Amino acid sequence: MGDPARTLDGKVAVITGAGQGVGQGIALALASEGASIAVLGRTAAKLESTCALLRARGARAEPFVLDVLDTDRIPAVVEAVAERLGGIDILVNNAYTGCYGPLLSLDDEQFRRGFESGPFAAFAFMKAAHPHLSRAGGGVIVNLVTSAMVRWDLSTYGAYAAAKSALRTLTRAAANEWGRDGIRVNAIAPHAVSPAYAKWQAAHPEEAAEFCASIPLGYVGDCEQDIGRAVAMLCGPDARYLTGATVPLDGGQANFD
């Protein structure tokens, strides 16, 4: 018997891009609520590091090496997760390999990669996981989008925002179609101190300070405490009536109205 206070005891979560950053933070938060975690990502060493952190908290954690750009492999990996961990209750589509820059600086392959790793990969995961999520009853999908979708100035963010806008629309469509299957589908738009953000902050301290000052709560979120904990809530019984939503986890910066 687990701790009765834990909201995700007995649940199995699949998290892409979980070797570091936001994906790792979400994995830690879900594990702390009792979930077993399938840790997916491209780099085996990073997956093992995340698994070690999860196991230190008493959670079951299994690594699965996968580049989400390899969409043909996704169904087989989903089945392997379900077989090894006994099912799937939660799917978090976090991994993304895209590009940034002025539109005329991007080639077709760069632009396409954002869609292939974003909405195309998420769609493949969602379809493959659907039978397991439906069988579980109360299955949950969380897709990661971005507040760049609603920026006042999309310069240099166009390709990124376009791919994530497609994922946001996919989230809403799946929520509409799969609600009667007992599956809730939501999106989050986070600001977090990921490795990429930390690198940018170190390289551009003045710009980073201005960015932080534009956040009403005054700081960029922690991967586990601010983003992961919110995802744990979305996956738990307290959010059982919430689906089709985009939740901005950005300290109040963006306007999604």
Side-chain angles (χ1 to χ4, degrees):
M1 294 292 290
D3 182 340
R6 300 196 304 180
T7 59
L8 301 177
D9 267 335
K11 303 294 186 181
V12 174
V14 177
I15 305 172
T16 68
Q20 63 181 1
V22 172
Q24 184 183 82
I26 293 172
L28 288 166
L30 269 56
S32 293
E33 289 298 329
S36 298
I37 311 294
V39 181
L40 275 60
R42 294 179 296 183
T43 307
K46 291 181 179 179
L47 302 185
E48 290 294 350
S49 294
T50 295
C51 286
L53 293 173
L54 298 173
R55 291 165 186 155
R57 298 192 182 189
R60 182 177 180 187
E62 299 288 345
F64 295 84
V65 176
L66 173 70
D67 186 337
V68 299
L69 288 169
D70 190 359
T71 52
D72 289 342
R73 285 193 60 221
I74 288 174
V77 172
V78 168
E79 292 307 311
V81 170
E83 182 177 353
R84 192 180 305 179
L85 294 177
I88 298 171
D89 303 277
I90 297 164
L91 169 64
V92 179
N93 285 304
N94 165 67
Y96 172 77
T97 304
C99 58
Y100 306 88
L103 294 175
L104 292 178
S105 73
L106 307 176
D107 60 35
D108 291 352
E109 182 180 351
Q110 288 174 310
F111 188 80
R112 190 179 299 113
R113 189 184 305 125
F115 280 83
E116 290 173 347
S117 66
F120 289 172
F123 184 50
F125 271 107
M126 291 162 69
K127 286 194 300 178
H130 178 278
H132 303 286
L133 296 169
S134 178
R135 191 179 305 122
V140 179
I141 299 171
V142 178
N143 293 325
L144 272 74
V145 294
T146 175
S147 60
M149 300 182 303
V150 295
R151 278 182 64 88
W152 60 96
D153 179 3
L154 277 167
S155 299
T156 76
Y157 290 94
Y160 177 48
K164 291 295 190 175
S165 293
L167 182 54
R168 185 187 187 194
T169 301
L170 176 63
T171 298
R172 180 67 181 174
N176 292 160
E177 294 185 9
W178 297 353
R180 287 172 178 78
D181 299 327
I183 301 171
R184 295 187 297 106
V185 192
N186 291 298
I188 63 167
H191 283 335
V193 185
S194 63
Y197 177 84
K199 183 177 179 180
W200 174 78
Q201 183 181 40
H204 306 90
E206 293 184 4
E207 189 176 350
E210 291 178 4
F211 177 79
C212 192
S214 72
I215 298 174
L217 289 183
Y219 70 99
V220 178
D222 177 81
C223 291
E224 179 183 358
Q225 295 303 317
D226 295 310
I227 310 305
R229 292 299 307 164
V231 173
M233 182 275 292
L234 290 174
C235 294
D238 288 345
R240 71 177 196 169
Y241 201 52
L242 181 65
T243 194
T246 297
V247 180
L249 299 177
D250 63 355
Q253 184 191 54
N255 180 5
F256 276 83
D257 293 341

